Amino acid sequence: MASLTASLARGALTSPFKRAGRPDATLPPDRPTRPEAPVAPGPLAAYGRICGFPESGPLPLTYPHVLAFPLTMRLMTGRAFPLPVLGLVHTWIEITPHRAVAPAEPLELTVYAEQLTPHRRGTEVTMATEARVGGELVWESRSGYLSRHRHTAPEGTTPDRETPEGTAPDDTAPDATTPDATTSDRATPERAAAERGTAPVTALPPAAGGLPARAEWRLPGDLGRRYGAVSGDRNPIHLHPVTARLFGFPRAIAHGMWTVARCLAEAGDPSSIRSVRAGFRAPVLLPATVTYAADATGNAFELRGEKGRVHLVGTVTRRAGVSGPG
């Protein structure tokens, strides 16, 4: 965690000296790598509880992203990275698990910056993450991060894939480890739900439009701080209303990766999933009540706010002959 803290501090110091949108900007060729290492069971259990994953079974589909986050931050806060890390917002993620990964398998992690793309609201960078076991590529992802700045977008500019999770609510242009719980900690559904950062799941009637509602989750105001402690992602927009207001938000917002993980925890056996695609449409201001909606197969899902505002949309592709959660 110390190296991640140092990266965040370095990013805060270097961001004011970086100017997004330079026509001569290039990406660093570096590929930071973490050598093969086992997954620590305590942090994994804490992550599983706050995101709603089962206590046993394959590694959650989103967890390699969390493990590689310190490497990503090291690269993005380095002097050679062309975009300021402060204000950079996550816009989309694609995850491809090539096979199920057991928690006991040691993972080698590598990250690199793949592409810079002009965007009508700034510049988007695609970051890649790869996980290997014994040299075998077992998991990979691509993520888009948007640096917003004013410019005249050239013809052929990347259109908005999604509205970034860090986009301020008034933006009208179309983004320490928690200790293990004991058995008594999980004695009731209410306690288990509190560990996930949500109130007990409540069945809902079908939605009037879009995907049918499956559950309603009440998210507490400190969810960003709790998830930040588990994931290491302590971006100030997630931690406290005071720090969030510095970036144009009236309150702290939920981590986009928490919303993806919480939805995927409802998607059934991760070994059945061949790929995931999720896009962040609007921030979730904390505290909040949100609705998880999905089709009958669980292959299309979304997260909606109290007034029907869509925060997250996603799709799951399953392996041949494998059905969803039913």
Side-chain angles (χ1 to χ4, degrees):
M1 236 16 124
S3 63
L4 179 54
T5 302
S7 292
L8 291 170
R10 184 169 63 247
L13 291 172
T14 60
S15 286
F17 301 99
K18 295 184 178 182
R19 184 171 62 86
R22 295 195 334 263
D24 60 342
T26 58
L27 291 171
D30 313 59
R31 291 188 172 223
T33 297
R34 189 198 77 169
E36 267 195 5
V39 175
L44 173 60
Y47 178 82
R49 285 194 300 273
I50 200 167
C51 296
F53 289 107
E55 295 179 34
S56 59
L59 204 66
L61 289 179
T62 48
Y63 200 56
H65 178 95
V66 172
L67 292 175
F69 186 68
L71 297 176
T72 303
M73 286 301 298
R74 185 196 310 171
L75 184 60
M76 294 172 78
T77 58
R79 184 174 299 178
F81 193 77
L83 304 177
V85 72
L86 289 184
L88 207 61
V89 292
H90 203 175
T91 50
W92 55 272
I93 186 168
E94 296 172 345
I95 299 174
T96 305
H98 296 289
R99 68 167 174 82
V101 178
E105 293 185 278
L107 291 178
E108 176 188 89
L109 300 167
T110 302
V111 304
Y112 55 95
E114 188 173 72
Q115 184 178 12
L116 274 178
T117 308
H119 187 288
R120 75 180 184 86
R121 278 187 288 157
T123 301
E124 188 176 75
V125 61
T126 299
M127 301 295 294
T129 304
E130 297 176 349
R132 288 177 169 79
V133 174
E136 174 196 4
L137 182 64
V138 296
W139 182 100
E140 61 183 316
S141 73
R142 300 289 185 276
S143 285
Y145 294 90
L146 175 66
S147 179
R148 287 178 290 173
H149 57 85
R150 294 186 180 279
H151 72 112
T152 302
E155 188 175 346
T157 288
T158 300
D160 287 344
R161 302 197 195 195
E162 317 294 345
T163 299
E165 63 145 318
T167 299
D170 58 354
D171 185 350
T172 56
D175 206 312
T177 301
T178 302
D180 288 337
T182 63
T183 302
S184 61
D185 286 334
R186 297 186 295 271
T188 66
E190 292 75 16
R191 177 69 185 198
E195 290 289 352
R196 288 196 300 269
T198 65
V201 172
T202 304
L204 296 176
L211 296 173
R214 303 294 180 186
E216 184 178 86
W217 302 327
R218 291 186 290 278
L219 315 183
D222 67 347
L223 176 61
R225 293 191 293 278
R226 291 168 54 202
Y227 180 81
V230 170
S231 67
D233 185 351
R234 292 184 174 88
N235 186 321
I237 63 176
H238 303 302
L239 302 182
H240 194 277
V242 173
T243 55
R245 279 196 288 269
L246 296 175
F247 295 90
F249 299 94
R251 304 194 300 274
I253 67 172
H255 290 74
M257 284 306 299
W258 180 86
T259 63
V260 173
R262 186 66 190 90
C263 289
L264 288 178
E266 304 293 321
D269 182 5
S271 63
S272 72
I273 294 175
R274 188 174 64 191
S275 66
V276 174
R277 171 74 165 85
F280 305 106
R281 291 285 185 87
V284 179
L285 296 171
L286 298 171
T289 299
V290 295
T291 297
Y292 166 72
D295 63 10
T297 65
N299 294 343
F301 62 89
E302 63 186 21
L303 200 65
R304 300 194 292 258
E306 292 177 284
K307 295 181 179 180
R309 188 181 193 190
V310 176
H311 297 292
L312 171 77
V313 294
T315 56
V316 170
T317 302
R318 298 187 188 271
R319 302 187 190 283
V322 182
S323 59

